[in-house]
Amino acid sequence: SIARAQAAGVDTKVFGMQLGDRVNLPNCGLMGPPITTQNCIAEFDGLINAFAAVGEPSLADTLSIKLARDNCPAWLPDCRVLANIEGERLIGFMIHPKGASVERATATELLAKYGSRATRRQRTITPLESGTQFQVWDLEWHFPGLHVLYRPVHATVHYGVIYIETDRAYQKRQAAQQRATRPKL
């Protein structure tokens, strides 16, 4: 997947890490530094359990990574991402920005990196708290070897989701979602 993406001229470096490379990051420590100068693996992080609770299909091969200040986008206030690994290799990222409140900034950065040839789908969201409807735009890119999806609202109005993943990771996630939605009877 990575070789196909790179041959097509797709940028496969994300947050200072190269998709397809072995994950070789230091541990952040038990509490982790609030601001770090290099990406590190969070030893204990409730982020993985929190997003498992809101419907992420499989987090078995997932690491929580605290991003270095230089690798952290402004729209991600806690600078934490979930990295999907297979074996020891990085195959994708799951990022949870703060919902529709950062939609414009997030979309702008993704469009600058991956180009304007995204599939765009508008959705109407009706929050349970207020009932006041608003519109969001989902963006999706399909490249040879790489898939990128941005949903400004995902599971709750307070969180969005971005997947940046190899074809292999995308196929695994799709299969897990299908298994999760099958009747359990």
Side-chain angles (χ1 to χ4, degrees):
S1 293
I2 298 301
R4 283 190 299 135
Q6 289 173 339
V10 179
D11 184 357
T12 57
K13 194 168 192 176
V14 184
F15 304 121
M17 295 173 276
Q18 179 63 51
L19 289 172
D21 283 356
R22 290 188 184 279
V23 177
N24 188 21
L25 298 173
N27 285 331
C28 299
L30 187 56
M31 298 304 287
I35 298 173
T36 180
T37 57
Q38 66 180 31
N39 294 343
C40 60
I41 297 172
E43 285 184 31
F44 176 78
D45 197 335
L47 188 64
I48 291 175
N49 292 332
F51 288 107
V54 294
E56 295 301 341
S58 173
L59 296 173
D61 295 323
T62 304
L63 295 173
S64 178
I65 296 179
K66 173 80 172 162
L67 298 176
R69 179 183 316 183
D70 291 345
N71 294 330
C72 184
W75 45 262
L76 191 61
D78 63 355
C79 292
R80 291 184 188 269
V81 298
L82 298 177
N84 296 27
I85 57 169
E86 187 172 66
E88 295 178 2
R89 299 203 178 273
L90 180 60
I91 61 170
F93 287 96
M94 184 173 24
I95 304 110
H96 293 282
K98 294 287 186 186
S101 64
V102 296
E103 177 183 11
R104 180 169 289 154
T106 307
T108 298
E109 192 163 342
L110 288 167
L111 287 162
K113 181 173 178 82
Y114 297 109
S116 61
R117 297 188 65 173
T119 302
R120 301 165 194 250
R121 285 186 213 101
Q122 188 175 36
R123 290 187 295 142
T124 301
I125 307 297
T126 306
L128 293 175
E129 297 90 13
S130 69
T132 304
Q133 293 184 336
F134 62 93
Q135 306 292 316
V136 295
W137 286 92
D138 295 344
L139 301 173
E140 189 167 9
W141 292 262
H142 290 279
F143 299 109
L146 188 73
H147 179 260
V148 179
L149 172 67
Y150 171 45
R151 299 188 82 196
V153 174
H154 178 73
T156 77
V157 295
H158 305 291
Y159 292 99
V161 68
I162 300 169
Y163 293 100
I164 302 171
E165 55 199 351
T166 64
D167 278 346
R168 171 83 176 127
Y170 174 68
Q171 291 166 0
K172 284 176 64 173
R173 183 172 58 82
Q174 293 298 97
Q177 285 177 335
Q178 288 175 353
R179 283 191 305 275
T181 59
R182 282 191 200 135
K184 305 288 192 258
L185 296 175

